[in-house]
Short mmCIF file of all heavy atoms in Angstrom, two decimals:
data_model
loop_
_atom_site.label_atom_id
_atom_site.label_comp_id
_atom_site.label_asym_id
_atom_site.label_seq_id
_atom_site.Cartn_x
_atom_site.Cartn_y
_atom_site.Cartn_z
N MET A 1 -76.70 220.50 -94.18
CA MET A 1 -77.60 220.71 -95.33
C MET A 1 -76.81 221.35 -96.46
O MET A 1 -76.09 222.34 -96.27
CB MET A 1 -78.77 221.62 -94.91
CG MET A 1 -79.79 221.86 -96.01
SD MET A 1 -81.21 222.82 -95.41
CE MET A 1 -82.10 223.04 -96.94
N TYR A 68 -106.61 193.62 -72.59
CA TYR A 68 -105.27 194.07 -72.27
C TYR A 68 -105.25 194.99 -71.04
O TYR A 68 -106.01 195.95 -70.96
CB TYR A 68 -104.65 194.80 -73.47
CG TYR A 68 -104.62 193.94 -74.71
CD1 TYR A 68 -105.28 194.32 -75.86
CD2 TYR A 68 -103.95 192.71 -74.71
CE1 TYR A 68 -105.28 193.52 -77.00
CE2 TYR A 68 -103.94 191.91 -75.83
CZ TYR A 68 -104.60 192.33 -76.97
OH TYR A 68 -104.60 191.52 -78.08
N GLU A 93 -112.84 197.74 -94.49
CA GLU A 93 -113.73 197.13 -95.49
C GLU A 93 -112.90 196.55 -96.62
O GLU A 93 -111.96 197.17 -97.11
CB GLU A 93 -114.73 198.15 -96.04
CG GLU A 93 -114.10 199.40 -96.62
CD GLU A 93 -115.13 200.43 -97.07
OE1 GLU A 93 -116.15 200.58 -96.38
OE2 GLU A 93 -114.89 201.05 -98.11
N GLY A 114 -93.63 217.30 -102.56
CA GLY A 114 -92.72 216.46 -101.78
C GLY A 114 -93.42 215.78 -100.63
O GLY A 114 -93.17 214.60 -100.34
N GLN A 154 -86.45 209.53 -87.59
CA GLN A 154 -86.32 210.94 -87.28
C GLN A 154 -87.34 211.22 -86.19
O GLN A 154 -88.55 211.21 -86.43
CB GLN A 154 -86.57 211.83 -88.51
CG GLN A 154 -86.44 213.32 -88.18
CD GLN A 154 -86.15 214.15 -89.40
OE1 GLN A 154 -85.28 213.83 -90.21
NE2 GLN A 154 -86.88 215.24 -89.56
N VAL A 161 -79.53 205.48 -75.57
CA VAL A 161 -78.93 204.27 -76.12
C VAL A 161 -79.08 203.14 -75.11
O VAL A 161 -78.80 203.32 -73.91
CB VAL A 161 -77.44 204.51 -76.46
CG1 VAL A 161 -76.77 203.19 -76.85
CG2 VAL A 161 -77.30 205.52 -77.58
N SER A 274 -95.07 177.98 -61.92
CA SER A 274 -94.36 176.72 -62.13
C SER A 274 -95.27 175.53 -61.86
O SER A 274 -95.31 174.56 -62.62
CB SER A 274 -93.13 176.66 -61.23
OG SER A 274 -92.42 175.46 -61.43
N SER A 288 -104.23 163.68 -73.66
CA SER A 288 -103.85 163.81 -75.08
C SER A 288 -104.96 164.46 -75.91
O SER A 288 -105.43 163.90 -76.91
CB SER A 288 -103.51 162.43 -75.66
OG SER A 288 -102.42 161.85 -74.98
N MET A 301 -107.12 176.25 -67.15
CA MET A 301 -106.12 175.93 -66.13
C MET A 301 -106.03 177.05 -65.10
O MET A 301 -105.93 176.80 -63.90
CB MET A 301 -104.77 175.67 -66.78
CG MET A 301 -103.64 175.40 -65.78
SD MET A 301 -103.98 174.06 -64.61
CE MET A 301 -104.03 172.65 -65.74
N GLN A 317 -115.68 183.14 -64.74
CA GLN A 317 -115.52 182.49 -66.04
C GLN A 317 -115.89 183.46 -67.17
O GLN A 317 -115.25 183.44 -68.23
CB GLN A 317 -116.40 181.24 -66.12
CG GLN A 317 -115.91 180.09 -65.26
CD GLN A 317 -116.68 178.80 -65.50
OE1 GLN A 317 -117.40 178.67 -66.49
NE2 GLN A 317 -116.53 177.85 -64.60
N SER A 327 -115.51 181.14 -75.42
CA SER A 327 -116.84 181.11 -74.83
C SER A 327 -116.77 180.65 -73.37
O SER A 327 -115.86 179.93 -72.96
CB SER A 327 -117.75 180.15 -75.61
OG SER A 327 -117.33 178.81 -75.44
N ASP A 337 -113.26 168.97 -66.65
CA ASP A 337 -112.44 167.82 -67.05
C ASP A 337 -111.07 167.87 -66.37
O ASP A 337 -110.56 166.85 -65.89
CB ASP A 337 -112.28 167.81 -68.58
CG ASP A 337 -111.71 166.49 -69.09
OD1 ASP A 337 -112.31 165.44 -68.81
OD2 ASP A 337 -110.65 166.53 -69.74
N ILE A 342 -106.83 166.20 -62.54
CA ILE A 342 -105.65 166.69 -61.81
C ILE A 342 -105.99 167.52 -60.58
O ILE A 342 -105.09 167.99 -59.88
CB ILE A 342 -104.74 167.53 -62.74
CG1 ILE A 342 -105.51 168.73 -63.31
CG2 ILE A 342 -104.14 166.68 -63.83
CD1 ILE A 342 -104.64 169.66 -64.16
N ASP A 345 -104.45 166.13 -57.37
CA ASP A 345 -103.00 166.36 -57.32
C ASP A 345 -102.70 167.79 -56.88
O ASP A 345 -101.76 168.04 -56.11
CB ASP A 345 -102.36 166.10 -58.68
CG ASP A 345 -102.36 164.62 -59.05
OD1 ASP A 345 -102.43 163.79 -58.13
OD2 ASP A 345 -102.30 164.32 -60.25
#
Side-chain angles (χ1 to χ4, degrees):
M1 182 175 175
Y68 303 120
E93 55 184 38
Q154 180 158 313
V161 172
S274 181
S288 299
M301 177 54 66
Q317 289 189 14
S327 68
D337 192 57
I342 59 176
D345 290 336

